[in-house]
């Protein structure tokens, strides 16, 4: 019941009320009716169990829960930035939840500030009613190391350069942690681009280690003069593209930090009412096993596998502002869509959900098209008798999902079909005309 598997629930209802027999005709269990319980009473009992399984508590639990809910609502209403910072910090090991809560902050006008070696704390923190990323979200950067960084800058001031950081944190850091901090953008507020810092950080650390050993051996600077801790970068090292910088952040933090590849399409996507991928994949999702859905996101990872029949299938991760989900592409579909399903491509996908108790939520892909943000539409002019064929139109449209709105005009007025977007391909147009006639369809740009 708690897994909300509709087909299993229907079988359970049948067995609960009428019992179940073995293959040889013997009774496996009787069920309510064969035990003398009225059929309507049995149905009512099962309905009550089904309703309770959706979301219900005993009274003592509900009373305590309502009090905690009131306290939570109070904090979220009056201290939204502090509340969301604490909430995100509590789920930092779950990138889907972090992404979903960050998206919620953006929608509420709370800015999410990127990690900064001179401003970030270990966890997410509040800065001028905005939220600053915590440094422990970054791979290979442990909580103990971050707290020592924070203590060092509180005691001796902000870090002035990458070399200054390496010198002051010597004995605590390693090259891998510094590399991940650079890739995350945590040193962006210091002199130099990420590309420049990545080019020289190992050399800087090695030189500071050597300097430290020399000092231990008594080889101090002449007259005790203070050493120059400014960074020197080689010339003609060009900064990475915006997409490359975002991919670095995703690599070391599990989420995009300074933006999102879908940012330029945020407004269009909000109007198109696609479900959030993270919401679909959530344990709290109301979607059922086998449900058909369409989503839009960026392909962040693709892994191909050779099947026993010597054909390729693919396992893809698609993500949006709310999180990610695995997509399974079987050989027949992959052979048609191989060129569309490339890493870092923004695509619209349509398929059916595969929900298993121990494996989470996956999408079995049926179709995919590149997402361009186009807003043009297809207009169907139907008479009253043709409206009787809308179920067939829906079936055809779900086979050709894409980026174009479907608008139906009739004597009852004009409506936009919000939950279905179509590709407008020649094949789709031909099927629609075969169903309704040659003159019912026109492009509406």
């Amino acid at each position: 019941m708690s897994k909300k598997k509709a087909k299993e629930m229907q079988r359970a209802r049948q067995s609960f009320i009428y019992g179940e027999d073995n293959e040889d005709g013997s009774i496996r269990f009787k069920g309510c009716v064969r035990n003398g319980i009225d059929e309507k009473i049995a149905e009512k009992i099962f309905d009550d169990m089904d309703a309770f399984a959706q979301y219900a508590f005993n009274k003592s639990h509900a009373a305590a829960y309502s009090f905690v809910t009131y306290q939570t609502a109070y904090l979220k209403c009056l201290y939204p930035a502090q509340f969301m910072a604490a909430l995100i910090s509590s789920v930092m090991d779950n990138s889907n939840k972090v992404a979903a809560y960050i998206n919620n902050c953006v929608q509420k006008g709370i800015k999410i500030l990127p990690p900064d070696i001179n401003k970030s704390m270990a966890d997410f923190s509040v800065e001028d009613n905005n939220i600053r990323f915590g440094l422990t979200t970054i791979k290979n950067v442990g909580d103990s190391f971050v707290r020592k960084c924070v203590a060092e800058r509180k005691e001796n001031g902000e870090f002035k350069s990458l070399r200054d950081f390496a010198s002051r944190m010597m004995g605590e850091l390693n090259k891998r942690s510094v590399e991940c901090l650079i890739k995350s953008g945590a040193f962006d507020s210091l002199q130099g681009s990420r590309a420049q810092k990545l080019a020289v950080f190992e050399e800087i650390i090695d030189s500071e280690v050597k300097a430290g050993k020399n000092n231990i051996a008594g080889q101090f600077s002449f007259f005790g003069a203070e050493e120059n801790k400014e960074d020197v970068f080689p010339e003609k090292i060009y900064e990475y593209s915006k997409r490359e910088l975002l991919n670095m952040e995703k690599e070391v933090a599990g989420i995009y930090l300074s933006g999102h590849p879908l940012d330029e399409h945020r407004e269009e996507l909000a109007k198109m009412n696609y479900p959030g991928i993270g919401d679909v994949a959530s344990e709290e999702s109301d979607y059922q096993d086998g449900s058909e859905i369409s989503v839009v996101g960026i392909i962040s990872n693709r892994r191909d596998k050779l099947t026993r029949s010597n054909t390729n299938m693919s396992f893809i991760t698609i993500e949006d502002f709310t999180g990610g989900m695995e997509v399974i592409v079987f050989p027949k579909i992959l052979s048609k869509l191989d060129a569309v399903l490339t890493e870092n491509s923004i695509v619209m996908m349509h398929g059916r959900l595969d929900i298993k108790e121990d494996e989470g939520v996956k999408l079995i892909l049926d179709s995919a098209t590149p997402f361009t943000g186009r807003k043009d539409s297809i207009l169907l002019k139907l008479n009253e008798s043709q409206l009787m064929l809308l179920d067939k139109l829906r079936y055809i449209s779900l086979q050709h999902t894409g980026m174009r709105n479907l608008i139906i005009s009739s004597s009852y007025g004009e409506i936009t079909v919000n939950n279905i977007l179509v590709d407008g391909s020649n094949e789709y147009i031909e099927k629609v005309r075969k169903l309704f006639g040659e003159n019912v369809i026109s492009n509406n740009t």
Side-chain angles (χ1 to χ4, degrees), residues 194-210:
R194 284 190 216 177
Q196 289 175 319
K197 293 185 181 82
L198 286 172
V200 302
F201 81 93
E202 290 182 292
E203 180 184 333
I204 287 174
I205 292 174
D206 289 340
S207 69
E208 289 301 318
V209 169
K210 184 178 180 180

Side-chain angles (χ1 to χ4, degrees), residues 116-293:
D116 189 315
I117 198 66
N118 281 323
K119 295 181 180 179
S120 290
M121 308 299 285
D123 296 331
F124 284 71
S125 56
V126 176
E127 187 178 312
D128 297 327
N129 287 321
N130 296 311
I131 296 175
R132 175 73 67 178
F133 265 94
L135 293 178
T136 51
T137 58
I138 302 165
K139 290 180 181 177
N140 302 304
V141 182
D143 183 74
S144 174
F145 171 69
V146 172
R147 295 189 188 282
K148 288 176 181 176
C149 287
V150 173
E152 168 61 28
R153 80 179 186 227
K154 283 183 177 179
E155 184 175 349
N156 297 308
E158 293 188 348
F159 301 105
K160 296 178 177 61
S161 65
L162 185 58
R163 184 175 293 277
D164 182 47
F165 174 81
S167 174
R168 290 162 60 180
M169 295 304 299
M170 189 56 60
E172 302 293 342
L173 52 77
N174 60 66
K175 290 180 180 179
R176 186 65 177 140
S177 63
V178 174
E179 179 185 12
C180 291
L181 283 167
I182 294 171
K183 286 184 173 181
S184 74
F187 290 106
D188 282 2
S189 61
L190 304 180
Q191 176 193 0
S193 67
R194 284 190 216 177
Q196 289 175 319
K197 293 185 181 82
L198 286 172
V200 302
F201 81 93
E202 290 182 292
E203 180 184 333
I204 287 174
I205 292 174
D206 289 340
S207 69
E208 289 301 318
V209 169
K210 184 178 180 180
K213 289 179 179 178
N214 289 341
N215 286 342
I216 292 173
Q219 299 175 27
F220 296 99
S221 300
F222 187 60
F223 294 131
E226 186 178 344
E227 294 182 64
N228 184 3
K229 293 298 182 182
E230 290 186 3
D231 294 327
V232 178
F233 301 110
E235 296 181 1
K236 295 184 179 179
I237 294 181
Y238 299 103
E239 180 61 306
Y240 299 102
S241 68
K242 179 66 174 176
R243 178 62 66 84
E244 288 173 320
L245 293 173
L246 288 173
N247 288 342
M248 280 184 187
E249 295 166 3
K250 184 71 167 58
E251 174 195 342
V252 300
I255 54 177
Y256 301 105
L257 303 177
S258 61
H260 196 285
L262 294 176
D263 278 339
E264 61 183 299
H265 301 295
R266 188 182 287 271
E267 192 174 325
E268 299 102 286
L269 289 171
K271 293 177 181 178
M272 289 176 176
N273 293 321
Y274 282 106
I277 295 172
D279 299 333
V280 173
S282 168
E283 294 176 359
E284 293 81 27
S285 171
D286 289 327
Y287 285 91
Q288 305 286 341
D289 182 41
S291 298
E292 289 191 11
I293 66 163

